[in-house]
Each structure stands twice: as C-alpha cells, then as structure tokens.
Amino acid sequence: NAGVIQTPRHKVTGKGQEATLWCEPISGHSAVFWYRQTIVQGLEFLTYFRNQAPIDDSGMPKERFSAQMPNQSHSTLKIQSTQPQDSAVYLCASSLDRAGGAQDTQYFGPGTRLLVL
Amino acid sequence: GDSVTQKQGQVTLSEDDFLFINCTYSTTTYPTLLWYVQYLGQGPQLLLKVTTANNKGISRGFEATYDKGTTSFHLQKASVQESDSAVYFCALVPLANYGNEKITFGAGTKLTIKP
C-alpha cells in the first residue's frame, strides 16, 4: 500500500498564475479531504468528497479555489490567480467512510508545498 | 463551532524525561478525540484515538484519556526518546450519522528531545 500520493511535492508559481495540485487516495477509500497547513493558521480544513460527491466545502476560500474528484482514484485542488498568501503546504487525506458513525482514520499524504512568489 | 486548544507551542526535554502535553476541546457534539504526530517533511499520522468518553487510548508508549468532565485529552509518555521529536497535534472529529467528518486540529506542540 503506497499510502496517499500527492503530486507535485513542491511547486513554485508566480503571482497571478494557476496552480493545480493532485491527490491519489488509498485504494478503496471513499472519502477524500483537503487541508492547508501554515505557520500562522496551523492545519485548516478546506473541503471533502464522499464517493466523489462534494460534501462540505466550508473551508474553501470563496474565490480562486476549487476542488474536483472526477473519479475514485484522484482529486484535484486548483488555485487560480495565485497570491503570496496562498503559500502553504496542502495536505490530502483519505479514509474509509462506513455507515454507523464510526470514525475511520484519515490517512494523510506528504503534502504539496506551494510557494507563490 | 468546534475548537481545540494547545497552549504549549514548544517543549524541550531530555531522553527518559516524562512528557505531558495539555489539550482541551470545545464542541456541542459527541466527538472522537485524536492525537496526530507529524515528522519533518511528512504528513500527520494518527498516534492514537479514543471514541468514548472516559476511556483511554494507548499507542507506542503514549497515552491519553478522554475526560468529558474537564473537556481534556492530555497526552503523556513516561520516558521519551530522541526519536519522539516531532510536532504533536490534538484534534477532534464530530460524531456523524454516516461516515467521516472534517478534523479540527489544535495549534500543535513541537517536541524536541535532547540526546
């Protein structure tokens, strides 16, 4: 089991450019989460999918950020017109998502470190 | 909304010292409480979790008790090793009718163990 795979591991963009981050969840996991980590704000939830359907995007900035999950094997986080304050480590996590309220472990990938110059 | 408080930003100990990291939480739900550990250059990984109030979680020599009365979930270890150096996050996940939910994390505690 390779774990959650995130690509690229590092990305440098210029202000105003677009950045697309990729996540491949653990095979068989039906829930995919995106978080952002910065020194100032810590670990913050952005959005999540269940069986590819968007469930909660309450943490996503209203402008410029979007996430998709076109199939069960990958999800993307896209940031349009990147700004220096978007610089962060973007983490993807996946989990089983079983009925009954059981709290299945969320397994995190290594993250993509985005630097906007 | 849910919140988790970790006031100790940094802790420095020597090998074989006792570790205690404070964590308190606030929620209107019946949460699962978690401790995640993050090593340099890696994503957070689950250290231990407790789903039921007044129960204890134990893993790799670490333990934490879910105390609903004091809304606390402190992490402790009797004797730390240099390999325990990492950032530790207290966190909670609310109980859901179906499936998983988003994690609310504390600010994290950077633990440094001197050899």
Side-chain angles (χ1 to χ4, degrees):
Chain A
N1 191 334
V4 175
I5 298 172
Q6 290 191 250
T7 55
R9 290 293 311 275
H10 303 272
K11 187 172 183 66
V12 180
T13 67
K15 181 179 175 181
Q17 293 184 327
E18 182 178 286
T20 300
L21 314 180
W22 293 70
C23 171
E24 181 180 330
I26 293 171
S27 178
H29 283 189
S30 52
V32 172
F33 299 78
W34 285 95
Y35 296 84
R36 176 168 65 179
Q37 185 172 27
T38 62
I39 298 294
V40 174
Q41 299 294 330
L43 275 157
E44 303 174 285
F45 166 79
L46 294 176
T47 185
Y48 88 95
F49 298 85
R50 174 180 295 147
N51 294 319
Q52 300 170 233
I55 301 299
D56 181 354
D57 66 354
S58 60
M60 290 278 272
K62 296 308 176 191
E63 297 179 354
R64 302 187 294 106
F65 282 66
S66 62
Q68 295 184 338
M69 191 161 185
N71 56 60
Q72 64 183 10
S73 63
H74 89 272
S75 175
T76 59
L77 180 68
K78 183 180 292 186
I79 309 171
Q80 295 178 311
S81 185
T82 53
Q83 303 297 310
Q85 62 264 30
D86 299 331
S87 296
V89 176
Y90 290 85
L91 292 158
C92 176
S94 73
S95 75
L96 296 169
D97 199 43
R98 294 173 288 191
Q103 296 304 322
D104 291 305
T105 299
Q106 293 184 28
Y107 294 89
F108 283 79
T112 294
R113 184 174 295 275
L114 176 67
L115 177 61
V116 182
L117 300 176
Chain B
D2 298 336
S3 68
V4 177
T5 301
Q6 278 180 264
K7 293 187 176 178
Q8 298 158 280
Q10 291 196 66
V11 172
T12 301
L13 298 171
S14 299
E15 279 197 319
D16 298 324
D17 280 353
F18 173 72
L19 170 68
F20 187 87
I21 302 177
N22 284 298
C23 172
T24 58
Y25 66 91
S26 175
T27 180
T28 57
T29 70
Y30 297 93
T32 289
L33 298 179
L34 315 157
W35 279 98
Y36 271 84
V37 57
Q38 186 174 29
Y39 300 99
L40 194 63
Q42 299 181 21
Q45 57 183 259
L46 183 67
L47 176 60
L48 56 84
K49 70 176 175 182
V50 180
T51 59
T52 307
N54 302 322
N55 278 9
K56 180 184 292 188
I58 299 174
S59 175
R60 297 189 250 166
F62 292 89
E63 65 177 65
T65 301
Y66 180 161
D67 189 329
K68 189 178 178 183
T70 59
T71 62
S72 67
F73 191 54
H74 310 313
L75 181 71
Q76 58 186 44
K77 187 178 185 183
S79 176
V80 294
Q81 304 303 307
E82 193 174 355
S83 58
D84 294 327
S85 295
V87 180
Y88 292 80
F89 294 93
C90 183
L92 70 81
V93 180
L95 180 66
N97 291 327
Y98 180 94
N100 221 327
E101 293 289 338
K102 64 185 180 185
I103 299 175
T104 297
F105 288 92
T109 299
K110 183 178 181 181
L111 175 64
T112 302
I113 307 299
K114 297 181 293 184

